[in-house]
Amino acid sequence: MHLDHLINKVNKHFECDIRKETRKRSVVMSRGAYFWLARYTTKNSLNKIGSSVGRDHASVLYCLRNFNDWIKFDPFFKADFESLKIQVLSQFKTKKMQPKTLLYKYNNMLIENEILKNEIKKLKK
């Protein structure tokens, strides 16, 4: 997915311009949503993601670190972001797994989870 396409989608969804030089809360949070989507749906660097909206990589990093708190404390923004995320992620094509493959991967995850739990218990002692 191209960054310009993602920027247009975020701008349209939140009815603002995330490239604008402002610190208004609505624009900053919309920009944060763009940073999150760009980070997890593209292979672009933080520098490229930030420069696409006139910011540097440190701004992207700051937003990504605080984004979960914004979602946790603002239920309206969370609902708005989740609907945008569903729209964006629905554009990706997924390959269907055979039931045997899915069961195999699930069992591997259970085993890995158990190993990690044991490692955490060892570290706590």
Side-chain angles (χ1 to χ4, degrees):
M1 181 171 289
H2 295 289
L3 292 178
D4 287 333
H5 175 71
L6 201 53
I7 289 169
N8 292 335
K9 210 157 200 32
V10 170
N11 284 341
K12 185 176 180 184
H13 184 81
F14 288 109
E15 298 175 353
C16 67
D17 183 10
I18 61 174
R19 289 181 172 148
K20 199 184 252 187
E21 189 69 34
T22 182
R23 291 186 181 187
K24 284 179 63 177
R25 183 175 187 215
S26 59
V27 176
V28 170
M29 291 176 80
S30 301
R31 199 179 295 129
Y34 162 71
F35 290 153
W36 192 96
L37 290 168
R39 178 73 174 143
Y40 295 107
T41 63
T42 69
K43 294 182 180 180
N44 293 304
S45 67
L46 295 179
N47 198 26
K48 189 167 185 176
I49 292 169
S51 64
S52 66
V53 291
R55 298 286 184 258
D56 61 359
H57 74 283
S59 298
V60 178
L61 210 53
Y62 176 81
C63 265
L64 291 175
R65 284 185 181 149
N66 292 299
F67 194 73
N68 287 334
D69 289 337
W70 298 349
I71 286 177
K72 190 187 322 180
F73 295 114
D74 191 341
F76 296 110
F77 177 70
K78 179 181 180 177
D80 218 8
F81 173 69
E82 290 297 324
S83 68
L84 174 64
K85 186 168 77 169
I86 289 168
Q87 285 177 16
V88 170
L89 294 179
S90 68
Q91 295 176 349
F92 287 92
K93 294 179 183 173
T94 58
K95 59 181 182 180
K96 295 184 180 179
M97 279 192 228
Q98 297 296 323
K100 282 184 179 180
T101 307
L102 190 60
L103 184 61
Y104 175 77
K105 289 188 177 219
Y106 174 74
N107 286 332
N108 278 345
M109 285 177 35
L110 288 177
I111 292 167
E112 289 173 7
N113 187 26
E114 199 59 38
I115 291 170
L116 289 172
K117 283 181 182 177
N118 290 333
E119 290 293 320
I120 290 172
K121 284 180 185 176
K122 287 178 186 175
L123 290 173
K124 286 184 177 178
K125 289 182 180 181

